[in-house]
Amino acid sequence: MPFFLLFAVMFGFYACNDNVSPGLEESLELFAGLEQIPEASNSNVTINKGTNEDADGWFRVEINNTESNPFVSNGVTNAWCLEWKKTLRSDGETHQGVKWYTTHTNEKWKPMNYFFSIRDDLAKEYPKLNNREIQAVIWTLAGHMEIAPEFDVLNLADDEFPSRLRSNGTVNINRERVAEISGVVLSGYKDAEIQMSGIVGQTASDEQDIIIPPNREYSFDGPIFDIASLPDGGLLVPDFATVKEIHPNGNISDVNTLPVVNGPGAFGAEEVTFINGLTSIGGGSFFASRSGLDLAVGTALLRVSPGSSQIIGDIETFTLGDWPDGDSGQAPDWLNFNCIPPAGYTAGPQSNPYHITALSENEVLVADAAANTLLLVKNDGSIEVVATFDPVVDPESGVPLIQLTLEDGYECPVEPVPTAVQVGPDGAYYVSELNGTTAENLTGSPSPEGLASIWRIEPGSVDITCPSANCTKAVTGLNSVIDIEFGPNGYLYVVEFEKNGFLAAAAPDLGVPFAGGVIKKCDISSGNCEVIEEDIPLPGAITFDKWDNLWLVENVFAPTIRLVTYD
């Protein structure tokens, strides 16, 4: 549900209302108390009338010449007229020198910001709501805010309405619906917690104001492999080793830069660790998982508080340490270490703690993708294996799939590669799997369809095997799952990294065709899923914010974070 940017375009002679002269309206103090955005102080805006009343706004505008900022970006977007009696050139004319201001501290703009915050909900409640009626609501609110003349939708005569709200001389909107929606906003905004602040823009002269959607996409240097929601509605983003916060008003700030480790990685190349996963525990604190180099070097779980961070889970030592019966590390019994070198790593225990979820302020579940385990890490430093995942099997025969055969004849199985864990509505732990390299990938072909599953693990389980009585498949027939998240509606939302297998993106030299990622909505009771969005380039993670908006990380190596529409 978006916050909206507001800007004033001060040229023009084609009207929002083309039957009223702009000279009838006095100048209004729109910009008192607003803070200017320096990066957007000289933008160019080309304006056209919207032609699709369901898909377009009152206008379609193209914005250019803004520098990077959290509020408004270059590109084409919808727009609405703010002052119903003023004129505006809107037949492809370009308005130059538009300045932008933020309204985040201005109480006057709260009704308008509240309307756009709940606009998606209103559209569901009023399915026949179109852009003409949205425009009429905006004019009604602008009059209430005293930034424009009053627009009395119930009492204006038909011939007093702007021409685009009339057909054959008769008003073409539902006056009662507009009045009802306006009443909902005006009766609710005072006590409402507004998600986002609006932005107002101004050109050189006082002519016309319009409302446009905000910049709801955020770009980072990357890589970014996770995203986490905060109690106040903000988002935590691990940009390589620096955790950043996208605040509810769109501002972005650095939170903490976490320590990294350098050392040999794949094929002996010098690499550096980064942040794989995040989970917030409130009060400005969160847990973060750190990736691993060869032989689990650097792997850890950190607890981060304002101004400090500490390792509470030394997963490297846990992975490499001596275990009972002479076993080394947390590697599963079925894994032959000699199967590891073909992927570029040393024959030995490996670890890559990926996505995580907090059970409390003191306990965290960690999906270890390289060790094929689910771990429980506690604040006192203790670590235990919750579950170990068996190799991937053929969906039809149940026989383990073979990735490659070693010179001694040993058949290396396809690894499950657990990537994410969530606690379900029933309290159980749900774990996704990416699936490792398949034999088909090594010849440049896609992975077989539907190898990945979502596992359901009984809460409180310790050192179990998946599958077993306490670990069963909740959803099957998926592909390369990189993240999962339960939505406010109880469905499990699943991110498939790449339909043809992760190596299509991770190792393009193999020649596996790239098909794109997918977000699915799955019913864990039936195991049925439906596609929400597909053809996504390298999706990495999702999260639901305080207001149930669904956010996605895509293009993980040159990342963008954006909203996703879902049911």
Side-chain angles (χ1 to χ4, degrees), residues 21 66 70 165 178 210 308 435 437 446 509:
S21 166
T66 66
L165 292 191
V178 170
I210 64 176
S308 68
N435 298 155
T437 304
D509 290 346

Side-chain angles (χ1 to χ4, degrees), residues 157-376:
D158 285 6
D159 61 4
E160 294 180 282
F161 275 73
S163 62
R164 289 176 67 190
L165 292 191
R166 288 180 279 132
S167 299
N168 298 320
T170 303
V171 170
N172 57 17
I173 63 171
N174 186 316
R175 296 182 186 234
E176 289 72 22
R177 182 158 54 232
V178 170
E180 183 175 340
I181 292 173
S182 301
V184 168
V185 174
L186 294 175
S187 65
Y189 80 90
K190 290 183 180 179
D191 298 325
E193 184 176 359
I194 309 299
Q195 293 181 48
M196 300 284 185
S197 300
I199 303 299
V200 176
Q202 181 185 34
T203 59
S205 61
D206 183 13
E207 181 61 31
Q208 180 53 263
D209 303 316
I210 64 176
I211 305 172
I212 68 172
N215 176 20
R216 297 296 296 236
E217 292 189 2
Y218 304 92
S219 297
F220 297 87
D221 294 331
I224 292 176
F225 298 109
D226 202 9
I227 183 172
S229 60
L230 293 169
D232 70 349
L235 301 170
L236 279 182
V237 180
D239 193 5
F240 193 68
T242 298
V243 179
K244 300 182 178 182
E245 181 177 350
I246 303 175
H247 297 271
N249 67 1
N251 280 324
I252 299 174
S253 64
D254 290 352
V255 175
N256 204 319
T257 297
L258 303 183
V260 299
V261 176
N262 294 277
F267 299 100
E270 187 74 9
E271 294 182 359
V272 63
T273 61
F274 45 80
I275 304 168
N276 268 335
L278 293 173
T279 184
S280 170
I281 52 175
S285 298
F286 58 90
F287 293 108
S289 59
R290 189 170 67 192
S291 68
L293 303 173
D294 193 20
L295 293 176
V297 170
T299 54
L301 182 77
L302 297 91
R303 180 175 179 135
V304 185
S305 299
S308 68
S309 66
Q310 61 176 334
I311 293 175
I312 64 163
D314 184 353
I315 298 175
E316 175 185 348
T317 298
F318 178 77
T319 301
L320 302 177
D322 292 332
W323 282 40
D325 303 321
D327 291 338
S328 177
Q330 58 161 325
D333 294 340
W334 53 261
L335 179 60
N336 183 333
F337 289 150
N338 291 322
C339 294
I340 295 176
Y345 293 92
T346 303
Q350 302 287 342
S351 173
N352 187 28
Y354 206 65
H355 290 172
I356 61 180
T357 193
L359 296 179
S360 68
E361 294 184 6
N362 301 306
E363 295 184 324
V364 187
L365 292 172
V366 180
D368 194 324
N372 294 297
T373 57
L374 177 67
L375 304 178
L376 177 64

Side-chain angles (χ1 to χ4, degrees), residues 365-430:
L365 292 172
V366 180
D368 194 324
N372 294 297
T373 57
L374 177 67
L375 304 178
L376 177 64
V377 181
K378 299 182 181 180
N379 248 355
D380 61 7
S382 63
I383 304 175
E384 63 186 26
V385 175
V386 174
T388 301
F389 298 87
D390 276 354
V392 178
V393 300
D394 182 277
E396 299 297 328
S397 67
V399 175
L401 294 173
I402 304 304
Q403 175 195 136
L404 57 86
T405 302
L406 300 177
E407 290 183 0
D408 63 6
Y410 183 84
E411 294 180 327
C412 299
V414 176
E415 298 188 29
V417 190
T419 47
V421 56
Q422 288 289 312
V423 177
D426 57 354
Y429 311 153
Y430 289 81

Side-chain angles (χ1 to χ4, degrees), residues 405-477:
T405 302
L406 300 177
E407 290 183 0
D408 63 6
Y410 183 84
E411 294 180 327
C412 299
V414 176
E415 298 188 29
V417 190
T419 47
V421 56
Q422 288 289 312
V423 177
D426 57 354
Y429 311 153
Y430 289 81
V431 181
S432 61
E433 58 182 24
L434 181 73
N435 298 155
T437 304
T438 67
E440 290 82 358
N441 297 155
L442 298 177
T443 61
S445 297
S447 298
E449 180 77 16
L451 296 184
S453 301
I454 306 296
W455 294 89
R456 182 190 182 278
I457 299 174
E458 288 292 335
S461 296
V462 178
D463 200 19
I464 65 170
T465 298
C466 296
S468 65
N470 285 337
C471 183
T472 56
K473 292 183 177 180
V475 183
T476 60

Side-chain angles (χ1 to χ4, degrees), residues 499 515-519 531-536 562:
K499 288 187 286 188
V518 180
I519 299 176
V531 173
I532 298 299
E533 185 174 329
E534 55 188 340
D535 301 323
I536 305 169
R562 65 174 175 86

